[in-house]
Amino acid sequence: MAKSSSSDAQALIRSLRSAYAATPTKLKIIDLYVVYAITTAVIQIVYMGIVGSFPFNSFLSGILSCVGTAVLAVCLRIQVNKENKEFKDLSPERAFADFVLCNLVLHLVIMNFLG
Amino acid sequence: MVDPSEAKGEGSLRKAFGGVLGFFILLLIGTLAFSIRLFSVIKYESVIHEFDPYFNYRVTQFLTKNGIYDFWNWFDDRTWYPLGRVIGGTVYPGLTLTAGSIWWLLNNLNIPLSVETVCVFTAPIFSANAAWATYLLTKAPAHLFEVKGTGAGLTAAVLLAMVILFLLVFLLISDNQNVPSYISRSVAGSYDNEAVAIFALIFTFYLYIKSSDLKNYTQTLNTGSLFYATLNALSYFYMVCSWGGYTFIINLIPMHVLLCIVTGRYSSRLYIAYAPLVVFGTLLASLVPVVGFNAVMTSEHFASFLVFIIIHVVALVYYIKGILSPKMFKVAMTLIVTIGIAVCGAVLAILIALVASSPTKGWSGRSLSLLDPTYASKYIPIIASVSEHQPPTWPSYFMDINVLAFLVPAGIVACFLPLSDASSFVILYITTSVYFSGVMVRLMLVLAPAACIMSGIALSEAFDVFTRSIKFQLPKLFETPPSDVWQLIGDTNNGTQDELAKVDSKIPTEKSETTVKERPSKKNRKKEKEILEKGKEIKEKGKENVEKVSDKRQNAKKLLVLPLEASAVAILLLIILGAFYVVHCVWAAAEAYSAPSIVLTSHSHDGLHVFDDFREAYAWLKHNTDVDDKVASWWDYGYQTTAMANRTVIVDNNTWNNTHIATVGTAMSSPEKPAWEIFNSLDVKYVLVVFGGFVGYPSDDINKFLWMVRIGGGVFPHIREPDYLRDGQYRIDAQATPTMLNCLMYKLSYYRFVETDGKGFDRVRRTEIGKKHFKLTHFEEVFTTHHWMVRIYKLKPPKNMTRGKSKKKINPKTRTKISYQKNRNKNPWQ
C-alpha cells in the first residue's frame, strides 16, 4: 500500500511537472512573482515569531502587502491565460493596466498603514 | 420589408430614445426621493432631530471649525465626566467627513450655507444617491436592458411597449426607494450614520456584482473586473467609515462566495471579485481608527478569512484539474485529501483554542445580540433597553414596507428562473436581512433596499408578461399581418423560451435552436451576435416559411400568452397597487416619521400647540449656568445637552461605560442623601429630569425608571428591582412601595406637582401620585419649563459645620436675644 502510494506520488509529481512545463513563459514569470511574494510573507511571519509583533500595524501591513500583490498577480495570471475562455475578449494590456493600478492603490494604503 | 441598415438606424434611435428617457426618469426618481423627505422641514423647521444626530452635528461643527487633524486627535472632556471620550478613535467618521467636505466645497464656491443646513439636508441627498445605486444594483439580477440588438425592423408598437416597460420599472424602483422604513432614518434632519451608510451598502453590493460579472449587460464587453474589484474595496472602505453595520457586508459576501462554490458555480471571475476585496478590505478597515486591529482579531471578520482560504484551495484544485489527466487527478485527490485533513485538523484545533479562550468567543456584544436575540436581555441591559433594539411587531412590517411585503416572495421566485450569480446574491441578501430585521427593529433599514430590489424584479417580470401579451394580441385586433419581428422579439424574452422550444420542437428553424441556447441568460451576449447574423439570414431565407412558422408560432404563443382583457385589467390593477403604495409612503413620511423629537406638537380644539420645552431647558442651562458646570441626567439626553446647552455631562448616548451609567442610575434610584453624595462625588452641580405627567408625554424618565433600576442594580447589588414594584407591578400611586416613593427620581419628578391641579393627577400613568406634599432637603429646584416637561435642580451645598452649636437645641424664647447679640458683634466698622 505504501509502495503503491509512493509510486503513485512519484507518478503524480512527474505528470504535474510535465504539465506545468507546457505553460507559456509569461505565465511562469507571474508564477515566480507569486512564489516570491509568498516567501517574503513567510519570512516576515518567522521574523515576527522571533521578535514579537509590537508595532502590530507594521506587521499587518507587511504581511498584507505581500499577500495582496500575490493575489493581484494571480488575478493577472487568470486574465492573461489564453486557456481561460471567459476572458477571451479582455486584452492583456488592459489586464496589466488593471494590475498596475490596483497595485498602486494597494501600496498607497500600505504606506499609510505602515506607520 | 425593412432593410438592415434602416433597421439598425431605428434600433439605435430606439436605444438613444430609451437612454434619454431613462436618464430623465432617474433624475425624477432622485428628486422624488429628496422631496419626500422634506416634510419635517416644511411642517416644523430645519432642525436636527432626535438624540444621536446632535452628537454628529457637534462633531461636524468641531471638524469645520478646527480642521481634520484636530478632529482626528480630539479628546472630548465635556462628556463622561470625569473620564472623557476619545472622539477621534471611537466615532465612525464617514458621515461627519462627508458633511464636512460638502460644507467646505460649498463654502469654497462662495455658497455660504451654515453647517446646520448642510447637516440637515445630507440625508435626503444621500437617499437620492441610494435610489440610483438601487437602480444599478437591480439591473443585474433583473436582466433588464438586454439591449435588444436584433437589427430587424421594428414597429411603433414594439417601441412603445419597450418604453413603457422601462418607465414602469424605473418608477417602481423609485417608489421602492421611498419605502417608509428607509425614510424614517433619512428624513431631512435625521443626521445619523445610516443616512450615508445605506447608500454605501447598496453601492458596495452593486460594485461586487459588477466585478463578478465580466460580461454585464452593456454593450462594452471589457469591463476589467479587477478594476471594479478595487472600486468595490474602496466603496467598502466608505461603508466601514460610516456605520458599524459594515460587518453585514463582510459576512454576506463570503457567504455568497461559499454558496457559489458549494453549488458548483465557481468561476475565476468569482476569485477576481472576492480575493482582492478581502485583502484590500481588511487593510482599509484597519485604517479606520474605530475598527483598528479588530479587523483581524474579532470573530466578525473570520468568515471572510475562512472563505479566502477556501477559495484559494478551490482555485488550486480547478487549476490542477485543468492541467492533469483524469487518472492522475484522482491520485492527486487522494493524496491531498489525506494530507489536507491532517493539516486542517491541526489548524482548526489552534483556532478553536484561540477563540474559546475569550469569553464571548471573539464576538462583540452587539453582534452577539444579533445572532442570539435573547443575549442582550440576559447580559447587557443597556443594549436591551434601547427601544430601537427591540424586535419589531408584525404590523410594523406592513407599516414599513407595505405592498412590498407580498411582492418579495414573487421576486424571490423570479430570481430563481434563471438563477445567476447576481440573483443568488440578492436572494441571500434578502433572507439574511429579513432574519436580522426580525431581531431588531432598527435593522428594518437594511431590509428596505433588499425588499425594493425583489419587488422591482417581480413587478418588472409581471409587467413584462402582461405587456407582451397585449403586444402580441394587439395587431390581431387591428388585423395587421404578422411580421417576423415578433419572432425575434420573442426570442429575446427569457420567460417563455423554454416552453416555446418545447412546443416548437417540430419546426426546425435556426430560431428554435437559438431560443434553446438562450435559456442561460448570462451567456446571452455571444448568442446575441449570432442571432444578429441569423436574423438577417432568416429574413432573406423565407417569407415562404414566415407564414407557416408564424401561424404555428401564433398558435403556440396563443397558448402561452394571457388573454388581452385579462392582461389589460392586470396592468391596471398593478398600477392601482402602486398608487396605494405611493399614497401610503407619502402619508408615512408626512405623519409618522417626520417628527423631530426635540419639538412636539399636538392638535387640540383651539389649534396647534407646540411643545418646545427641551430647547427651552437647554437654553436656560446655556444662559444661567457657568461654562464648567456639570449636568447629570439619564443618558438619553447627553448628546443634546452637550450640543445645545454646551455643558459637561456625566453620561451620554454613547453608552460605552456601563459602570458609569449604573452609577447615575443608582443615584436616581436612591433616597436623597445617598443620591446627593454620589452626585457630589462626581462634581455634579445640576440634575436634569424629564417629566411628562403634566402634558401626557409618555417617554419621560418615570417610564424609563425601571431601566435605571435594572442597570444600576446590575453593578450595585443594593439596588433591587423588586423593592420598587408592588406585587410585580410598577406603580407610583398610593400603593407604591416606600422605596419607590422615597427615591430621587420620584421626588425630582413630582416635587410641587400637586400645585398644578390640587390632586397631583399624572396624565401618563393615569393615577394620582402617592406622596403629594414633600420638601427636598438636598436639592433645590431652579427651573421648570413651561409645560413641566424638563425640570432642573441644583445640588445644595453641604451645610456649614458650626462648631459646638450643632447639637444644642435653640430655645425659641432665647433666640432673639442670641441673634441680637450676634448682630451687635457683626458691626463691620469695629
Side-chain angles (χ1 to χ4, degrees), chain B residues 431-460:
Chain B
T431 13
T432 44
S433 55
V434 164
Y435 171 70
F436 286 126
S437 73
V439 176
M440 260 194 206
V441 104
R442 171 182 200 186
L443 295 178
M444 300 263 316
L445 187 64
V446 177
L447 173 66
C452 296
I453 294 172
M454 278 304 177
S455 37
I457 293 176
L459 279 173
S460 82

Side-chain angles (χ1 to χ4, degrees), chain B residues 2-16 148-154 532-533 536 539:
Chain B
V2 196
D3 64 330
S5 60
E6 205 182 290
K8 269 210 200 95
E10 269 197 52
S12 57
L13 179 66
R14 181 185 64 119
K15 264 182 267 174
K148 328 265 192 212
T150 57
L154 300 165
L532 212 59
E533 281 124 11
K536 297 186 197 135
K539 263 204 321 277

Side-chain angles (χ1 to χ4, degrees), chain B residues 668 689 701-702 705 708 743-750:
Chain B
M668 294 294 192
V689 161
D701 280 356
I702 290 284
F705 179 61
M708 299 187 201
C743 73
L744 186 71
M745 179 51 71
Y746 180 92
K747 286 197 166 168
L748 293 188
S749 296
Y750 293 118

Side-chain angles (χ1 to χ4, degrees), chain A residues 27-66:
Chain A
L27 298 183
K28 284 201 205 159
I29 294 179
I30 299 180
D31 289 342
L32 203 61
Y33 179 70
V34 172
V35 169
Y36 156 70
I38 301 286
T39 329
T40 318
V42 169
I43 294 177
Q44 287 187 19
I45 294 181
V46 169
Y47 180 69
M48 187 271 284
I50 299 176
V51 186
S53 70
F54 164 54
F56 191 59
N57 54 331
S58 318
F59 166 64
L60 213 58
S61 61
I63 292 285
L64 284 176
S65 77
C66 293

Side-chain angles (χ1 to χ4, degrees), chain B residues 386-408:
Chain B
V386 181
S387 67
E388 322 180 288
H389 291 179
Q390 306 303 322
T393 55
W394 283 112
S396 68
Y397 272 101
F398 195 68
M399 161 79 165
D400 273 353
I401 54 176
N402 210 26
V403 157
L404 310 184
F406 53 84
L407 284 177
V408 160

Side-chain angles (χ1 to χ4, degrees), chain B residues 205-310:
Chain B
F205 285 155
Y206 158 65
L207 284 174
Y208 169 65
I209 289 192
K210 189 147 175 156
S211 67
S212 70
D213 282 0
L214 180 58
K215 312 209 194 257
N216 53 31
Y217 296 91
T218 64
Q219 284 296 68
T220 62
L221 293 176
N222 300 340
T223 55
S225 35
L226 193 57
F227 173 62
Y228 279 104
T230 315
L231 281 184
N232 187 19
L234 289 174
S235 170
Y236 170 68
F237 175 51
Y238 185 49
M239 177 76 189
V240 174
C241 285
S242 311
W243 196 32
Y246 73 90
T247 49
F248 181 62
I249 298 187
I250 201 63
N251 283 310
L252 186 65
I253 293 187
M255 232 194 284
H256 174 245
V257 170
L258 204 58
L259 183 75
C260 283
I261 291 178
V262 162
T263 55
R265 301 180 70 95
Y266 170 77
S267 66
S268 40
R269 286 176 285 121
L270 198 68
Y271 179 85
I272 294 184
Y274 181 67
L277 173 68
V278 171
V279 178
F280 272 116
T282 314
L283 263 175
L284 289 169
S286 329
L287 276 183
V288 181
V290 184
V291 178
F293 298 143
N294 284 348
V296 289
M297 300 214 290
T298 53
S299 300
E300 281 112 358
H301 294 87
F302 282 168
S304 56
F305 299 141
L306 197 67
V307 177
F308 185 63
I309 296 177
I310 290 179

